[in-house]
Amino acid sequence: MSAAGSLLAAVPAAGALLLTVAMRPREVGAVAPLRLAVVRAALLTGVYAVLVVELLGALHALTRPAFAAAWLLFLAAAATAAGLRQRRATRTAPTLAAAPRPVPVGAVVSGGSADPPAAVEPGSTGPDPTPTRADRAPSGLLAVALDAWRTAGRGERLLVGAIGGLVLLELLVALLAEPNNFDSQTYHLPKVEHWVAQGDLDFWPTAIHRQVTIPPGAEYLLLHLRLLTGGDHLYNLVQWAAGVLCLLVAARITAQLGGSRRAQLLTAFVLATTPMVVLQATSTQTDLVCAAWVTCAATLVLDGLRRRTGWGTVLGLGAATGLTAVTKTSGLIAVGPLLLLWGLAQLRLALAASTATPGPTATSAASPDPTAADATSPGPTAAGGDRRPRPVGGLARTVGASVLILLVAAVVVGPFLARVTAEFGHPLGPPRLRESIPMERHDPSSILVNALRIGHTAFDTPLAPLRRAGAEAIIDGAGAIGVDPQDRAITFGREIFPEPAWYPDEDRVAFPLTGALVLIGAVVALARPRRIDPERAGPLRAYAVVVLAAVLLHTSMIKWQPWGNRLILYAVVLAVPLAGLWLDALFRRRRANPGRSGARRSVATLTAVTVLATSALAGVLALSYGFPRRLVGAGSVFTTSDWDTRFLRRPQWADEFRWAATAVQDSGARRIGLVQQNDNWEYPWWLLLRQPDGGSPDLVALQSVLPERPPADPSSVGAIVCTGNKAACAKFVPAGWRLEFRGYVGYALPPGR
């Protein structure tokens, strides 16, 4: 990567940071305002990145100069907005100093351990916004952070150290390791190269339908890095940044549900040590990106449970929905229930406002905090009297906001869906895609068996007898209720249940410890939410219901598959705050009630501490020995060459690809035909066959699963490269050509070359 590429790659990051400054909430009492600003900035940056790709793709201008100009414009706009925000904060500072409002240290650094008052969203009726601690300069925030560190206990410091250490080590691996995810070699990264070669987003003939049918939101982000830097050296940072965003937002959700600083740190710790999160944070997979957008939607929804949502947050919900849809449609399984919860809460608040008594008591009726005012409070009329909101007005506003959410989401994901519909006649793609992953049977027995198999894979452990006993019980139980546990209608492809998933592989690794903590937290939040927080029982139970609904919908809509653990990662991230809240409540009760039931609580506390320590060990082991990127041992990022790192999944293919590519380059062929099957690696060809000036090779497919995109004629190419099966390749080789094959890879050249 050149120095110019490094500087250009820093522009989006700098713009996002400046946007965080500009998007700090002005409303009083916002929960974890700095993290809310990060959420807003992330959503706006994500939408901008997607729309830039769509716009420049429509103009056939997917080029480095165009993307550099787009991001420089973004940086200038973000800097201007940040400057205006700081100037406004400076002007209001004297007012703040004249009437100081005490804020606990934890409310700034960790989102507040106390129940914050309801806040006023921009666009809502209420008093003028007053600057909060989020308006402080960076030096002020640093001082607050140092104060929080000094007041933190030993346990909290250990949690912070563990989380920070894991995140930094993941960053190191992400920077050192070359992209080597299996799916990325097949379709994630080849689609980026196709866009660069074409200069637009039009579909192309291909034997791998996933290159055009799977939503491309995460690959859009990779495309920016590809064009700005000229290579894939920073690709892993997309998922790493998504992982950091998940940690921040999950901690904020915990704060919104009443969690103290310790509860938020516990949430972040449990999530940061989950092996699937650790491994995906250094990958070019897409599951953490999807989870990040889902949790952004969740935290904005929770802001709307106790106050009317302003139009800015409505736009944010639309952005989160659209980004989820354009990244991974399975994430909508959680976003749907979240938006339903938001709509019901908004209608309830509108009804409460319409029935509130006008006058000073209306504010206290709408909010438990008498200092909080929002859109539910009646405002004065022009004549000086009281105005009472009407139910129809609240309903109309909620319906209008819901429509706006869908419109914003459609702007983000609509262009891709339009291309898919035009190509296949259906927005969800060809029948092959629609029938391979979604459940084809929805009777209760089939859903139950599918849920049990998904649970068995998610909770897998290294204890083989336990795995076998659980699998046998599920298989026998399925037979007893008349369901074939290997039925293709509820099982992906030709896979066979059960499949071991305990080992630290980025595509399969189970999460039994995180899952157990989440399960306990969800049960307590549903059955006895007051044991966690007596003042937040309603929101806690509602959030737990949403998490449960997402899991149930997932198990009734997505077939079991050996790598299904990564597909449900969005639900795991969404549910972890319940684990953090329960753990904090357990430790709090143990300290507050050391009397009669102290021995029983001591056992529970000791068990919880043991589980947390084991979680830390699991996270460290996943980072140290995880596959296919690790810190130590065979295949370490410190001792393995860049090229060999790319082939850690299939080491025997590394020399075979080089052998074939060298022969083709030596032949002088310019236009190269490509023969492959649906799950073959295409990306190495884009790396090995680049032009001498670094330009994209002229690779054309000799097969196509797209009816309207015919493949190239073999007679029109100067060489053919193949992967997979020699016999399948031979069918496309013209008569008289020389075909050579080594194991997985082959090539064919015309006579005389």
Side-chain angles (χ1 to χ4, degrees):
M1 182 172 59
S2 64
S6 301
L7 290 175
L8 286 175
V11 171
L17 289 174
L18 288 170
L19 203 57
T20 300
V21 175
M23 301 298 287
R24 289 175 299 177
R26 293 192 296 269
E27 58 265 27
V28 176
V31 178
L34 185 56
R35 275 173 276 169
L36 177 57
V38 170
V39 169
R40 293 172 174 177
L43 291 173
L44 187 53
T45 304
V47 169
Y48 183 81
V50 169
L51 295 184
V52 163
V53 171
E54 292 289 357
L55 177 60
L56 294 181
L59 298 174
H60 304 280
L62 298 180
T63 63
R64 187 180 193 183
F67 273 64
W71 281 110
L72 289 172
L73 177 63
F74 179 83
L75 180 63
T80 302
L84 293 174
R85 181 73 177 85
Q86 286 293 96
R87 196 175 307 162
R88 187 180 299 113
T90 302
R91 285 201 303 266
T92 57
T95 305
L96 182 63
R101 183 175 180 269
V103 180
V105 169
V108 181
V109 178
S110 60
S113 58
D115 185 2
V120 182
E121 280 281 334
S124 300
T125 353
D128 293 335
T130 304
T132 66
R133 295 285 285 273
D135 288 316
R136 288 183 178 270
S139 58
L141 291 176
L142 178 60
V144 172
L146 291 175
D147 287 341
W149 179 260
R150 282 194 293 268
T151 59
R154 182 182 304 174
E156 292 178 343
R157 292 184 180 184
L158 284 174
L159 293 174
V160 171
I163 296 166
L166 283 171
V167 169
L168 290 177
L169 286 174
E170 288 163 6
L171 175 60
L172 178 65
V173 174
L175 289 172
L176 293 179
E178 302 295 320
N180 61 0
N181 172 260
F182 194 102
D183 284 348
S184 296
Q185 309 291 338
T186 301
Y187 67 95
H188 289 310
L189 304 188
K191 71 170 66 173
V192 175
E193 295 301 324
H194 278 286
W195 294 331
V196 173
Q198 297 176 171
D200 58 40
L201 300 174
D202 290 345
F203 291 163
W204 52 89
T206 179
I208 304 174
H209 75 87
R210 291 175 294 174
Q211 290 183 358
V212 297
T213 56
I214 299 293
E219 291 89 342
Y220 282 174
L221 303 181
L222 297 180
L223 176 62
H224 288 273
L225 292 176
R226 169 67 174 85
L227 288 172
L228 293 176
T229 67
D232 60 9
H233 311 287
L234 300 181
Y235 277 6
N236 293 331
L237 293 185
V238 170
Q239 280 260 110
W240 178 83
V244 172
L245 182 58
C246 286
L247 294 178
L248 294 174
V249 181
R252 182 173 192 264
I253 290 173
T254 306
Q256 290 172 288
L257 295 174
S260 65
R261 180 172 62 190
R262 182 176 60 187
Q264 296 167 61
L265 290 174
L266 286 167
T267 295
F269 176 83
V270 171
L271 185 58
T273 56
T274 301
M276 179 65 76
V277 174
V278 171
L279 293 169
Q280 288 235 357
T282 63
S283 172
T284 47
Q285 266 292 6
T286 62
D287 304 285
L288 269 180
V289 178
C290 174
W293 301 136
V294 170
T295 51
C296 284
T299 195
L300 295 180
V301 164
L302 288 177
D303 277 339
L305 294 188
R306 304 186 67 176
R307 65 174 184 268
R308 297 301 302 277
T309 299
W311 295 111
T313 300
V314 169
L315 293 175
L317 285 170
T321 303
L323 289 169
T324 301
V326 81
T327 301
K328 211 174 187 72
T329 50
S330 57
L332 295 177
I333 294 174
V335 173
L338 283 168
L339 292 180
L340 178 61
L341 174 63
W342 171 84
L344 293 174
Q346 292 297 294
L347 289 175
R348 178 185 62 82
L349 290 171
L351 181 61
S354 68
T355 58
T357 304
T361 58
T363 301
S364 59
S367 171
D369 190 327
T371 66
D374 56 25
T376 64
S377 303
T381 63
D386 289 323
R387 179 180 59 191
R388 190 172 190 175
R390 299 177 181 177
V392 67
L395 176 61
R397 173 178 170 150
T398 302
V399 171
S402 302
V403 171
L404 182 58
I405 290 172
L406 297 179
L407 287 176
V408 173
V411 169
V412 177
V413 73
F416 168 71
L417 293 181
R419 288 193 297 274
V420 173
T421 304
E423 191 71 33
F424 300 104
H426 195 286
L428 297 181
R432 181 178 184 177
L433 178 63
R434 301 198 304 270
E435 296 169 2
S436 61
I437 297 177
M439 288 274 286
E440 298 176 76
R441 290 180 55 179
H442 297 92
D443 56 284
S445 299
S446 297
I447 293 175
L448 175 61
V449 171
N450 193 54
L452 291 174
R453 294 182 306 168
I454 290 175
H456 180 274
T457 304
F459 285 82
D460 191 21
T461 70
L463 303 176
L466 182 61
R467 181 189 314 119
R468 285 195 299 269
E472 289 171 1
I474 293 173
I475 292 172
D476 293 343
I481 59 177
V483 176
D484 178 5
Q486 315 300 345
D487 186 356
R488 297 303 101 188
I490 61 174
T491 305
F492 180 86
R494 300 178 181 178
E495 305 300 328
I496 301 297
F497 173 83
E499 184 74 23
W502 63 266
Y503 53 93
D505 184 298
E506 65 175 351
D507 289 333
R508 302 185 181 217
V509 63
F511 33 82
L513 297 176
T514 301
L517 293 174
V518 162
L519 184 61
I520 295 173
V523 169
V524 174
L526 285 169
R528 295 187 174 183
R530 294 186 179 278
R531 297 191 66 178
I532 296 177
D533 190 333
E535 298 181 3
R536 300 293 182 94
L540 266 171
R541 181 173 282 151
Y543 188 78
V545 167
V546 166
V547 171
L548 177 62
V551 173
L552 292 178
L553 287 172
H554 184 98
T555 56
S556 64
M557 297 174 67
I558 306 296
K559 295 177 179 177
W560 174 87
Q561 45 201 287
W563 45 88
N565 287 341
R566 67 177 181 81
L567 300 184
I568 204 170
L569 184 59
Y570 69 91
V572 174
V573 176
L574 202 63
V576 164
L578 298 175
L581 288 163
W582 172 74
L583 286 169
D584 181 62
L586 177 66
F587 296 145
R588 189 173 63 243
R589 290 198 308 274
R590 167 69 180 86
R591 177 171 295 184
N593 300 294
R596 187 173 52 182
S597 57
R600 186 171 57 189
R601 288 200 177 95
S602 295
V603 172
T605 302
L606 180 61
T607 302
V609 170
T610 303
V611 170
L612 289 175
T614 309
S615 296
L617 179 62
V620 171
L621 290 176
L623 187 59
S624 302
Y625 297 98
F627 195 73
R629 292 164 305 280
R630 58 177 53 174
L631 285 172
V632 298
S636 166
V637 294
F638 297 113
T639 60
T640 309
S641 69
D642 293 348
W643 185 250
D644 289 335
T645 298
R646 295 180 184 275
F647 287 87
L648 284 174
R649 285 281 187 191
R650 299 291 187 271
Q652 67 275 20
W653 294 351
D655 291 336
E656 295 175 6
F657 269 99
R658 270 184 167 166
W659 161 77
T662 300
V664 170
Q665 287 176 323
D666 291 344
S667 73
R670 295 289 183 180
R671 183 174 166 88
I672 304 166
L674 185 62
V675 177
Q676 56 193 357
Q677 286 77 56
N678 183 58
D679 205 30
N680 289 177
W681 285 20
E682 178 182 318
Y683 186 59
W685 298 126
W686 290 97
L687 298 175
L688 290 168
L689 298 175
R690 282 190 180 177
Q691 302 295 335
D693 61 357
S696 298
D698 188 6
L699 274 176
V700 294
L702 302 185
Q703 313 140 280
S704 179
V705 294
L706 279 67
E708 303 300 323
R709 310 278 172 173
D713 189 330
S715 63
S716 69
V717 302
I720 296 175
V721 292
C722 308
T723 52
N725 186 281
K726 181 178 180 180
C729 180
K731 297 178 182 178
F732 297 91
V733 177
W737 283 39
R738 174 170 56 95
L739 175 61
E740 300 285 347
F741 233 90
R742 277 191 190 175
Y744 178 75
V745 178
Y747 69 91
L749 295 174
R753 287 192 178 180

